Amino acid sequence: MTDLPTSIRVAQALGITTSAFISGLTFANSYQSIPPTLQSPAPLLLRQWRYQFNFGVRTVPPLVLAVFAQMSYVAYYYYHLDDPSEAVKWTYFMAAGIATFSNIPFTFAFIMPTTKSIAKQEEIMASGVKNGVTDIGRGNGSPHDLVARWGKLSAVRGWLELTGAVIGFYALLS
């Protein structure tokens, strides 16, 4: 095993633990926060979801980008090693960074349409509450249905982030 510079060790540790942390945060939101929120009436449900969503938007993307940068830095280091047995690790670290980063395109491709539908429900609810309407049902396309769908799709992101952490940890141990 090659003696690694401290900066590489720090980047490995931060990249792996941050990816695992983001995964835990995402799973907690999908499996612990969303289900109880679904018990709320639509106006409260939408406010609670918006609060959780805004928190995630402020925290997760910068962390995802940090993990990608850290894993890319480590991959670059391994790519330029002269020892072929160690140099192959660059692919694992790059794969770990890409797996975690894939959260962002996944969000835009698969979650954004549901997020936009929830935003439309928020607008409908806001105008309806002014007119005395306090709930708009629970059928297909309702706030409850949309938030439940959003939670399931968000859980997929948790698996992407966890995959990044596991690949990075595997690379660290190999």
Side-chain angles (χ1 to χ4, degrees):
M1 177 180 235
T2 308
D3 287 331
L4 297 175
T6 302
S7 63
I8 296 298
R9 288 283 185 208
V10 169
Q12 287 172 326
L14 286 175
I16 293 166
T17 57
T18 304
S19 189
F21 171 78
I22 299 167
S23 174
L25 183 67
T26 304
F27 282 136
N29 188 41
S30 294
Y31 294 120
Q32 288 183 302
S33 296
I34 295 295
T37 301
L38 292 171
Q39 302 304 309
S40 302
L44 179 58
L45 166 75
L46 292 171
R47 283 195 312 272
Q48 291 170 331
W49 177 84
R50 177 57 62 188
Y51 179 81
Q52 293 172 25
F53 175 81
N54 288 339
F55 177 80
V57 166
R58 286 190 311 270
T59 56
V60 175
L63 292 173
V64 166
L65 293 174
V67 169
F68 183 71
Q70 292 157 347
M71 293 299 190
S72 296
Y73 172 66
V74 173
Y76 179 82
Y77 173 82
Y78 277 103
Y79 184 78
H80 291 287
L81 284 181
D82 291 331
D83 181 359
S85 66
E86 290 289 309
V88 72
K89 289 184 181 182
W90 82 270
T91 57
Y92 295 125
F93 284 108
M94 199 70 245
I98 290 170
T100 302
F101 181 81
S102 66
N103 169 331
I104 293 173
F106 179 85
T107 298
F108 282 106
F110 299 102
I111 297 179
M112 193 61 70
T114 303
T115 302
K116 288 179 180 179
S117 295
I118 293 172
K120 286 180 187 173
Q121 290 294 327
E122 287 175 312
E123 291 172 15
I124 292 168
M125 186 58 64
S127 66
V129 168
K130 291 176 188 170
N131 297 323
V133 177
T134 58
D135 208 342
I136 52 177
R138 292 186 179 249
N140 193 15
S142 72
H144 291 82
D145 177 60
L146 293 169
V147 171
R149 182 179 332 145
W150 186 91
K152 290 172 186 170
L153 289 169
S154 184
V156 174
R157 294 186 296 191
W159 287 108
L160 295 171
E161 298 147 358
L162 182 60
T163 299
V166 169
I167 293 170
F169 192 64
Y170 174 79
L172 183 68
L173 296 178
S174 64

